[in-house]
Amino acid sequence: MIIRRWEYRDNKQIEVMEEKYFPDPWNFRMLTESFLNENFVGYVLDDGGEVKGYIGATVCLNEAEIILIAVAEDVRRQGYATELLSEMEKYFCGCGVERVLLEVRRSNFGAQKCYVKFGFSVLSIRQGYYSGGEDALIMEKKL
C-alpha cells in the first residue's frame, strides 16, 4: 500500500466508503466541490488502485482543518490513520500551518484515541452538532 495525493478519480471510491462508514456521508458532489477548492489538499491510501483510506483538509493561511478521514475496516488498527495524518502534517509544515483543527463524534472513541496519540487535544464541544443530536468534540494540534 502506498500513500499518494488524492485525485479526482478517487472521489467515487471515497463516496462509497463515506456511505459505508458514516451516518452523514459526503456524496460525490460534495467531495468534488471540496476537491476543486484551491485550499483543499488530500491523500489516499492506495492498495493497487483500491482506495483503502483517505484524508482531506482545507488550509487557510496558518490554519488547517481536517474535514475528512477514514480507513477501511479491513485495514484498521494497522497504523494507516497515523500514516495519513503524518503525511498531511508534513504538507502542513511545508506551507506554514501552525494549528490544525478537526471535529469528531463524541461516541467515536477509536478515532479520539488515535487523534490524542497523534498530539491532538479537545479544544471545545459543539452541542448537538451531528444529526441525531450527537455532540462534536473540536480537537486541536499546534505544530
Side-chain angles (χ1 to χ4, degrees):
M1 275 199 257
I2 61 164
I3 293 178
R4 61 167 173 78
R5 286 297 289 264
W6 181 323
E7 299 174 3
Y8 176 80
R9 66 185 169 94
D10 299 319
N11 287 353
K12 197 65 184 160
Q13 289 186 65
I14 292 169
E15 178 187 39
V16 171
M17 288 181 68
E18 281 283 310
E19 290 171 356
K20 184 173 184 179
Y21 298 125
F22 297 103
D24 299 311
W26 286 46
N27 62 38
F28 185 81
R29 181 189 52 78
M30 296 163 74
L31 292 166
T32 299
E33 286 175 2
S34 291
F35 177 81
L36 295 174
N37 181 319
E38 65 183 24
N39 297 323
F40 178 84
V41 62
Y43 293 92
V44 297
L45 181 63
D46 184 320
D47 185 16
E50 183 179 354
V51 174
K52 290 289 195 168
Y54 53 91
I55 186 170
T58 55
V59 177
C60 184
L61 302 174
N62 64 344
E63 276 194 6
E65 181 180 4
I66 295 173
I67 56 175
L68 296 159
I69 184 169
V71 174
E73 281 180 333
D74 63 327
V75 295
R76 287 186 185 162
R77 293 176 187 72
Q78 297 178 37
Y80 292 121
T82 300
E83 287 184 34
L84 287 165
L85 286 162
S86 294
E87 193 67 29
M88 187 64 81
E89 187 172 292
K90 283 184 221 171
Y91 177 86
F92 292 156
C93 289
C95 62
V97 169
E98 297 172 4
R99 181 170 96 138
V100 182
L101 299 167
L102 59 79
E103 58 198 36
V104 60
R105 286 179 177 272
R106 185 185 284 266
S107 64
N108 192 342
F109 301 114
Q112 291 172 44
K113 183 178 177 182
C114 176
Y115 301 146
V116 167
K117 183 178 172 184
F118 198 74
F120 283 85
S121 59
V122 175
L123 178 66
S124 65
I125 298 172
R126 284 194 180 137
Q127 302 285 333
Y129 178 75
Y130 292 105
S131 65
E134 186 171 0
D135 297 342
L137 302 181
I138 308 305
M139 301 187 79
E140 170 189 54
K141 180 176 182 179
K142 296 196 178 188
L143 303 179

